[in-house]
Amino acid sequence: MESRYDPELAWRVHGRRPDADEPPRAHVETYGCQMNVHDSEVIRGVLAEIGYEKAGGPEDADLILVNTCCVRETAEKRILGRIGELQGLKRRHPGLVIVVAGCMSQQEGAVERILRRASGVDIIMGTHNLYRLPDLIQEAAAARAGARPGPVVEVWTEARGEVVEGLPVRRDPGVRAWVTIMYGCDSFCTYCIVPYVRGRERSRLPEDIRREVEELALEGFKEVYLLGQNVNSYGRDLPAGPGRTFSGLLRELDRVEGVARIRYTTSHPRNFTDDIIEAVAECERVCENFHLPAQSGSTRILKRMNRGYTREDYLALVERIRRRVPGAAFSTDLIVGFPGETDADFEDTLSLVREVRFDSAFTFAYSPRRGTPAAEAPDQVPPEVKKERLHRLIETQNEVSLARNRELVGCEVEVLVEGEAERRPGLAAGRSRTNKLVLFRPPEGVKPADLVGREVVVRVEEAHTWSLEGRCVGDRDAGGPNAGRVRAEGRCPS
Ligand code: SAH
Ligand code: SF4
Ligand code: F3S
């Protein structure tokens, strides 16, 4: 990472001397999906490299970076309000530098919108140029010193969105590490802003991904979560070669010693080909949770969404996976109130939930996004109808989630322990291979903290809508009567 960063200039802008005892402090606030969560880990790495320490909070910071999302209007409004609010902190600390990064900055007209709301923002940057942050701080410092007034704006379009390797990462501590395998999205679902703000699909090379995963294993991370807007199309933009399809990449990474679990998100039902099902079925470390955003249960609406599959295609895919991967769990994303959605279309979504029996679902009311085709549709659904449908959908899904979880009572599941359960002192918490939250009593004399990073076997005794509870009956890592691989909920009646 080449940088002309001069600490003296930047530190002066914060009103601190470079030789002062305390380094400048940065506070990073993140909104949006896992892509953004991981981008913020890179941002923290870049900031750490040029000497910033983590601030205790915004009040305590010399630099505040807001990593934004614009996927729905509610998110955008909340974030704009937040940026306006943070600006007030400049009254107490004139040396404070405020950076707006992420997807919102990439939208057309966003710079003007941000500045109208918060004229005190110093830097506006996008999603493609994270590694440029040191230089942008430098430019902002120069601007402050009077060389060039006003905010520094650098938002790149996809033309300059090449994959940059070797960026520093400050990962959140824990058992799980996020690894981006591809950037951007080429799907252009008609409701979605992501392809416009994240640019075209760009895959990292499999050897770079493998190297990163190997390093993570050495650092002690037990679970690797592969990230992309449509991971199933990984490698399509690369010349053909080993590991350059998603199934090939899974098989490649499954060979890395030390990683216990591999997960990935997000899949696109249209691109979930049989070779991927085979790879998941055969790869020991690849987990049996399938996050397959359906978006709607109505073929008519799916067509208008440009999703590229019908309700029947979706059901057939779930069926193929269930046959090949026993104990598989399914989660999804669903949108209600897409333009033109009738009561009958919505009933199709409810019936899809009952038919597939999703383990869980993220549910959204359609939010028109400027510049996307669906926002222009004349047959928008009134807000109160969306609200009522969303409510009914959530109720239906909750019933199904509880019923699915109840089927697991009496079964043994393999849990990767993450720590002590929040608000349930004495209980340990972790995730099953199917990504269900499991709380359990550790064996006599063992504290939850002692089990972090271990894979244990838990007998499920109670089921709730969003979690399971049970007791530990074995430790896969330590051996013992129940040690050995328990594939998914494979020991259960299915
Ligand atoms: N690439 C991923 C994530 C996209 S954003 C995917 O395809 O699933 C996450 C979810 O937000 C989407 O799956 C969709 O359900 C929802 N979403 C996207 N745009 C939306 C909009 N305009 N209104 C409501 N929900 C939306
Ligand atoms: Fe948006 Fe569709 Fe791409 Fe997902 S696949 S990011 S919903 S355009
Ligand atoms: Fe939001 Fe950008 Fe993710 S718009 S959902 S943060 S890709």
Side-chain angles (χ1 to χ4, degrees):
M1 197 175 62
E2 276 291 315
S3 169
R4 290 174 285 106
Y5 188 77
D6 164 12
E8 197 164 329
L9 185 57
W11 292 20
R12 206 162 53 219
V13 80
H14 297 311
R16 294 176 189 276
R17 285 182 15 210
D19 57 354
D21 290 342
E22 284 182 40
R25 289 181 289 261
H27 171 75
V28 178
E29 259 177 43
T30 311
Y31 298 85
C33 64
Q34 286 309 323
M35 281 283 176
N36 259 17
V37 170
H38 182 55
D39 281 352
S40 286
E41 293 182 329
V42 173
I43 288 166
R44 284 196 200 97
V46 170
L47 287 170
E49 231 170 52
I50 54 174
Y52 283 85
E53 277 190 356
K54 195 168 176 240
E59 293 79 15
D60 173 44
D62 299 303
L63 181 143
I64 298 177
L65 185 145
V66 185
N67 197 4
T68 60
C69 169
C70 56
V71 77
R72 278 170 292 274
E73 195 185 359
T74 39
E76 205 172 31
K77 277 203 173 137
R78 195 160 57 113
I79 297 165
L80 275 175
R82 179 66 177 155
I83 296 167
E85 192 179 287
L86 289 170
Q87 200 181 224
L89 293 172
K90 281 195 161 179
R91 279 196 292 274
R92 288 222 315 261
H93 181 5
L96 175 63
V97 168
I98 297 180
V99 188
V100 176
C103 294
M104 208 161 92
S105 319
Q106 297 273 142
Q107 270 181 304
E108 230 177 88
V111 171
E112 293 71 28
R113 263 204 313 286
I114 294 166
L115 291 176
R116 215 178 304 133
R117 186 67 193 251
S119 55
V121 168
D122 299 275
I123 300 172
I124 299 179
M125 61 189 289
T127 51
H128 297 351
N129 53 348
L130 304 183
Y131 65 97
R132 289 266 306 145
L133 184 53
D135 294 328
L136 298 178
I137 296 173
Q138 200 76 92
E139 285 174 31
R144 282 266 178 105
R148 192 174 57 78
V152 173
V153 177
E154 187 181 274
V155 181
W156 286 352
T157 53
E158 62 204 64
R160 300 181 64 184
E162 71 276 6
V163 173
V164 178
E165 290 294 339
L167 293 181
V169 186
R170 270 288 161 103
R171 287 200 153 81
D172 297 332
V175 300
R176 180 179 307 116
W178 306 96
V179 174
T180 303
I181 63 166
M182 61 194 296
Y183 301 90
C185 180
D186 286 355
S187 292
F188 289 96
C189 305
T190 55
Y191 49 82
C192 185
I193 192 81
V194 172
Y196 303 90
V197 296
R198 289 266 171 181
R200 298 290 58 74
E201 286 179 0
R202 298 165 318 269
S203 300
R204 292 178 67 197
L205 293 174
E207 49 273 31
D208 290 329
I209 299 169
R210 183 174 174 143
R211 195 173 318 118
E212 184 170 354
V213 170
E214 282 167 352
E215 282 165 16
L216 291 169
L218 288 175
E219 284 173 41
F221 286 101
K222 294 287 178 210
E223 180 174 300
V224 164
Y225 224 121
L226 308 176
L227 289 178
Q229 295 298 347
N230 175 2
V231 289
N232 303 151
S233 70
Y234 169 78
R236 274 207 304 217
D237 56 315
L238 299 173
R244 291 177 174 206
T245 59
F246 187 57
S247 58
L249 181 71
L250 286 179
R251 288 180 190 278
E252 177 81 24
L253 298 180
D254 196 50
R255 289 196 280 268
V256 177
E257 285 300 319
V259 171
R261 292 176 171 190
I262 299 172
R263 299 190 199 274
Y264 50 89
T265 198
T266 304
S267 295
H268 195 308
R270 177 183 53 204
N271 305 112
F272 211 102
T273 43
D274 287 348
D275 60 308
I276 302 176
I277 302 179
E278 275 310 302
V280 176
E282 286 171 21
C283 290
E284 273 284 287
R285 296 177 163 93
V286 179
C287 291
E288 297 78 14
N289 62 308
F290 292 82
H291 182 64
L292 283 174
Q295 310 300 0
S296 169
S298 153
T299 295
R300 202 178 68 83
I301 295 295
L302 288 170
K303 196 165 174 24
R304 284 189 60 168
M305 289 176 162
N306 188 30
R307 290 291 287 177
Y309 52 88
T310 62
R311 175 192 177 91
E312 289 68 35
D313 294 336
Y314 187 91
L315 287 169
L317 172 63
V318 169
E319 199 39 50
R320 280 204 301 285
I321 294 173
R322 284 210 158 113
R323 269 205 308 272
R324 189 65 185 89
V325 186
F330 290 85
S331 57
T332 197
D333 292 356
L334 296 165
I335 297 177
V336 300
F338 183 84
E341 185 186 73
T342 61
D343 284 337
D345 293 317
F346 173 63
E347 290 299 330
D348 283 348
T349 297
L350 289 183
S351 73
L352 186 82
V353 167
R354 293 202 190 93
E355 212 166 312
V356 174
R357 308 190 72 232
F358 291 112
D359 292 80
S360 63
F362 295 102
T363 51
F364 308 103
Y366 169 69
S367 168
R369 304 283 62 208
R370 207 179 296 111
T372 62
E376 308 297 323
D379 43 0
Q380 300 289 331
V381 173
E384 58 281 7
V385 175
K386 289 188 209 172
K387 206 168 146 193
E388 195 264 336
R389 286 181 187 166
L390 187 62
H391 182 74
R392 279 180 63 201
L393 177 60
I394 292 171
E395 269 188 352
T396 304
Q397 179 56 52
N398 286 352
E399 277 168 30
V400 173
S401 296
L402 183 59
R404 287 284 289 154
N405 283 345
R406 280 191 175 142
E407 287 169 17
L408 295 172
V409 172
C411 297
E412 289 176 3
V413 295
E414 194 178 296
V415 176
L416 174 60
V417 184
E418 296 184 22
E420 187 158 33
E422 265 176 56
R423 294 188 294 270
R424 299 287 297 276
L427 293 192
R431 298 247 161 205
S432 69
R433 281 182 63 98
T434 52
N435 215 17
K436 287 179 191 278
L437 177 64
V438 184
L439 311 186
F440 66 92
R441 239 171 304 122
E444 275 296 309
V446 179
K447 289 198 286 294
D450 303 333
L451 293 171
V452 173
R454 302 272 282 263
E455 285 189 288
V456 301
V457 181
V458 173
R459 184 184 299 279
V460 179
E461 293 170 335
E462 246 179 273
H464 309 288
T465 310
W466 294 289
S467 65
L468 301 169
E469 267 184 68
R471 72 191 154 85
C472 181
V473 294
D475 189 331
R476 208 174 87 82
D477 293 329
N482 284 298
R485 178 149 295 269
V486 184
R487 285 286 285 189
E489 275 72 37
R491 287 195 182 172
C492 308
S494 55

